[in-house]
Amino acid sequence: AELLAMHHPVLKRDFHRRVLEGTVLQYRLRDDEQKGKGPMVVCIDVSSSMQGDKEMWSKAVALTLMDIARRQRRLFRAVMFSSGDVSLKVLDLNRERRYAPDLNKVVEMAEYFPGGGTDFETPIDAAVELLGEKKLKRGDIVIITDGESQVSPDWLTRLRERKDQLDFSIFAVLVDVGSAETSSLAQFADRITSVKRISDEHARDIFLHVQS
């Protein structure tokens, strides 16, 4: 609507003035679009400790992030994990229709639950490898978990080196419905929130920061 002013000799000058002042109607929208640049790689804990309400919360948060990615035309990858390589499942939800998620993949993400122990290192390494691909560069990692696992100092050192190389952030959503632990997450996550804190304000905080 603002561009219509470009066809009027007087309003055109006023339009240019307001562009410089940042007061045109679409100014804030264009600014927000620039923030949401990168893909999302979301690691979802599907270990035995997540069974029940924790699983439902983790899948709900993942589906919310997926919908945000769709609306912002961002690529979305899900890394489902428990312990080791056997249970690891990487889902490309945009393969066929790019930004519109493949419904079969969404159902697979919602239903997949192998159980077992918890290993943070393998899924984070897989997520970092995805960010190394050309089409997924400038992305960020989100991990959704109850936090009940440990990581080694050597792995943390390698992860920090990769973060410097690829320039990404790691965001954690702690599923604190029941027992939960933050000590390991605090070692490698740049920002942590929890499902009990996801009011409108806290949800906006984590979801906006993951757009950088």
Side-chain angles (χ1 to χ4, degrees), residues 26 32 42 47 66 72 92 123 147 158 165 167 172 181 185:
Q26 284 85 359
D32 285 344
V42 179
S47 64
M66 183 193 69
Q72 296 180 345
D92 178 354
R158 294 194 301 271
Q165 293 169 359
D167 190 24
E181 177 60 53
L185 293 175

Side-chain angles (χ1 to χ4, degrees), residues 49-95:
S49 65
M50 295 289 290
Q51 190 169 11
D53 289 344
K54 289 183 180 181
E55 182 194 4
M56 289 189 288
W57 270 105
S58 66
K59 300 291 178 62
V61 172
L63 290 170
T64 300
L65 288 168
M66 183 193 69
D67 186 57
I68 290 172
R70 176 190 62 81
R71 289 188 283 111
Q72 296 180 345
R73 298 178 62 79
R74 303 167 66 182
L75 297 179
F76 185 95
R77 299 290 185 273
V79 179
M80 321 287 288
F81 72 94
S82 54
S83 57
D85 297 327
V86 177
S87 64
L88 192 74
K89 181 183 286 290
V90 179
L91 297 175
D92 178 354
L93 280 82
N94 308 113
R95 182 171 297 171

Side-chain angles (χ1 to χ4, degrees), residues 71-201:
R71 289 188 283 111
Q72 296 180 345
R73 298 178 62 79
R74 303 167 66 182
L75 297 179
F76 185 95
R77 299 290 185 273
V79 179
M80 321 287 288
F81 72 94
S82 54
S83 57
D85 297 327
V86 177
S87 64
L88 192 74
K89 181 183 286 290
V90 179
L91 297 175
D92 178 354
L93 280 82
N94 308 113
R95 182 171 297 171
E96 299 298 331
R97 292 183 292 168
R98 194 158 176 77
Y99 300 109
D102 184 312
L103 181 58
N104 291 327
K105 295 292 185 181
V106 175
V107 172
E108 187 175 1
M109 181 179 75
E111 293 182 344
Y112 185 67
F113 193 84
T118 309
D119 169 25
F120 288 156
E121 297 183 13
T122 300
I124 294 293
D125 286 344
V128 172
E129 185 176 347
L130 288 172
L131 294 183
E133 298 178 6
K134 183 177 180 180
K135 63 180 178 180
L136 292 178
K137 284 184 177 179
R138 297 193 302 177
D140 287 310
I141 296 171
V142 179
I143 182 168
I144 308 170
T145 177
D146 60 4
E148 298 184 0
S149 183
Q150 300 297 318
V151 294
S152 70
D154 288 344
W155 178 81
L156 284 171
T157 299
R158 294 194 301 271
L159 177 63
R160 294 187 185 107
E161 291 173 353
R162 293 296 282 159
K163 288 179 73 175
D164 290 338
Q165 293 169 359
L166 297 176
D167 190 24
F168 64 87
S169 296
I170 299 178
F171 302 89
V173 179
L174 182 70
V175 185
D176 54 346
V177 181
S179 61
E181 177 60 53
T182 61
S183 59
S184 291
L185 293 175
Q187 294 181 70
F188 62 84
D190 298 285
R191 184 177 294 266
I192 301 174
T193 191
S194 69
V195 296
K196 286 185 177 179
R197 297 176 59 210
I198 295 184
S199 61
D200 289 340
E201 179 181 353

